[in-house]
Amino acid sequence: MIFLLGLGIFAYPAISNYVYQRTADTVNNDFDAAVAQIDNTKIQESLNLAYAYNVFLSETTGNITLEDPYTQEEKEAGLAEYARMLEVNEQMGHVQIPKIGLDAPIYAGTSETVLQKGIGHMEGTSLPVGGESTHAVITGHRGLPSAELFTELDELEIGDKFYVEYIGGTLAYEVDQIKVVEPTDFSQITIEEGQDYLTLLTCTPYMVNSHRLLVRGYRIEYVEAIQEKEIRENQLGGNYQELFFIAAAVLVVVLSLVGVKMYLSKK
């Protein structure tokens, strides 16, 4: 019983994250399917609004106050009005990071309600639609009981790629800068003229959360074949993980049956 309890505690994080990712896959697939049903004219109208918002931000850089998304235990729940033009089923899109096997939904804002179910878009930064003189920031927790989310973000290296799926298609980014900063230092996430950046933000060190880890990517040409290749390579590790869960479940069943049989024999 002690062994089974220990095995359950050991396996819980991996199992809960596996369940979360399967749920996230369903949410993301629903998002993609819903986008496919939207008229192209409607999509372009929404994108034009998002582009206009980003132009406004780039022209007012320095006059908008950014806030650290983790300084408050919980912000007001609900969706921010600024991002409604991009939302489908209350979702802005999803971020895919092949190296760490993550494909998580993106929602507007950084309230605790949002960060408990996925990745949040940081208010006051460019909307994640790409374009010159933009710098979008999306943020996620590390080590939630139910999901890893950005737990393994520190494993990314210069040159790694990640992708953002949104109503306009797919944006590809290549990591070009990784920094650890104080929670009040926003100098690394400001808009730079002519640049097209997207930064992944989370707390660090793990379980201490005294600083912020910033993994910045610059936009590159999206090549579907490269994305699919990276996903396939990562799926090998995912298959091993599934085999582990199956083996662990079989082991638990076998040990339980043996234990019951031994108990009945002694009785």
Side-chain angles (χ1 to χ4, degrees):
M1 291 301 296
I2 293 176
F3 174 80
L4 293 176
L5 178 61
L7 180 63
I9 294 174
F10 172 78
Y12 175 76
I15 294 174
S16 62
N17 183 69
Y18 175 80
V19 172
Y20 169 82
Q21 191 56 67
R22 299 290 76 76
T23 303
D25 288 343
T26 300
V27 172
N28 294 334
N29 290 337
D30 290 344
F31 172 86
D32 293 339
V35 169
Q37 299 300 316
I38 302 176
D39 182 75
N40 288 336
T41 302
K42 176 65 175 177
I43 288 179
Q44 193 58 52
E45 290 176 354
S46 297
L47 290 176
N48 288 340
L49 289 173
Y51 295 144
Y53 176 85
N54 285 347
V55 169
F56 166 75
L57 283 184
S58 67
E59 293 177 346
T60 56
T61 299
N63 298 323
I64 295 179
T65 301
L66 298 176
E67 295 183 0
D68 176 56
Y70 300 103
T71 54
Q72 302 177 37
E73 290 186 2
E74 183 170 349
K75 292 185 177 182
E76 181 180 357
L79 299 173
E81 184 69 32
Y82 74 94
R84 288 191 184 276
M85 74 281 288
L86 292 182
E87 292 176 348
V88 176
N89 298 332
E90 299 185 348
Q91 183 179 345
M92 296 176 68
H94 49 107
V95 57
Q96 189 172 66
I97 311 176
K99 184 171 183 178
I100 61 175
L102 179 70
D103 189 2
I106 303 173
Y107 300 98
T110 56
S111 69
E112 191 60 25
T113 301
V114 166
L115 297 180
Q116 285 290 326
K117 64 180 181 179
I119 305 302
H121 171 259
M122 187 172 174
E123 303 95 324
T125 70
S126 305
L127 292 171
V129 294
E132 289 189 2
S133 301
T134 61
H135 194 160
V137 179
I138 58 176
T139 180
H141 277 315
R142 300 182 75 187
L144 289 178
S146 59
E148 291 184 354
L149 294 177
F150 278 176
T151 297
E152 298 177 345
L153 194 62
D154 58 347
E155 295 183 9
L156 293 188
E157 300 173 323
I158 302 297
D160 287 335
K161 298 177 181 61
F162 60 89
Y163 304 88
V164 171
E165 308 279 353
Y166 73 119
I167 63 172
T170 304
L171 302 173
Y173 292 88
E174 182 173 316
V175 176
D176 71 332
Q177 178 179 282
I178 300 174
K179 288 194 174 184
V180 174
V181 302
E182 296 284 344
T184 55
D185 182 4
F186 300 105
S187 63
Q188 302 301 318
I189 58 175
T190 56
I191 295 172
E192 296 184 25
E193 185 176 354
Q195 299 297 327
D196 188 340
Y197 290 138
L198 192 149
T199 290
L200 312 173
L201 183 154
T202 193
C203 294
T204 196
Y206 181 57
M207 299 299 289
V208 177
N209 304 334
S210 59
H211 291 70
R212 302 294 175 259
L213 173 64
L214 306 177
V215 178
R216 189 184 73 182
Y218 68 95
R219 189 177 171 192
I220 60 175
E221 180 183 1
Y222 171 64
V223 180
E224 185 176 3
I226 294 178
Q227 181 188 26
E228 292 178 349
K229 178 176 179 293
E230 292 177 336
I231 293 173
R232 285 197 304 270
E233 291 174 348
N234 177 73
Q235 281 179 339
L236 181 61
N239 291 337
Y240 284 135
Q241 187 180 60
E242 291 186 22
L243 289 175
F244 167 78
F245 293 149
I246 294 173
V250 171
L251 180 61
V252 169
V253 172
V254 170
L255 290 176
S256 299
L257 292 175
V258 171
V260 170
K261 185 176 180 180
M262 291 177 62
Y263 173 76
L264 293 177
S265 297
K266 289 182 179 180
K267 187 174 181 181

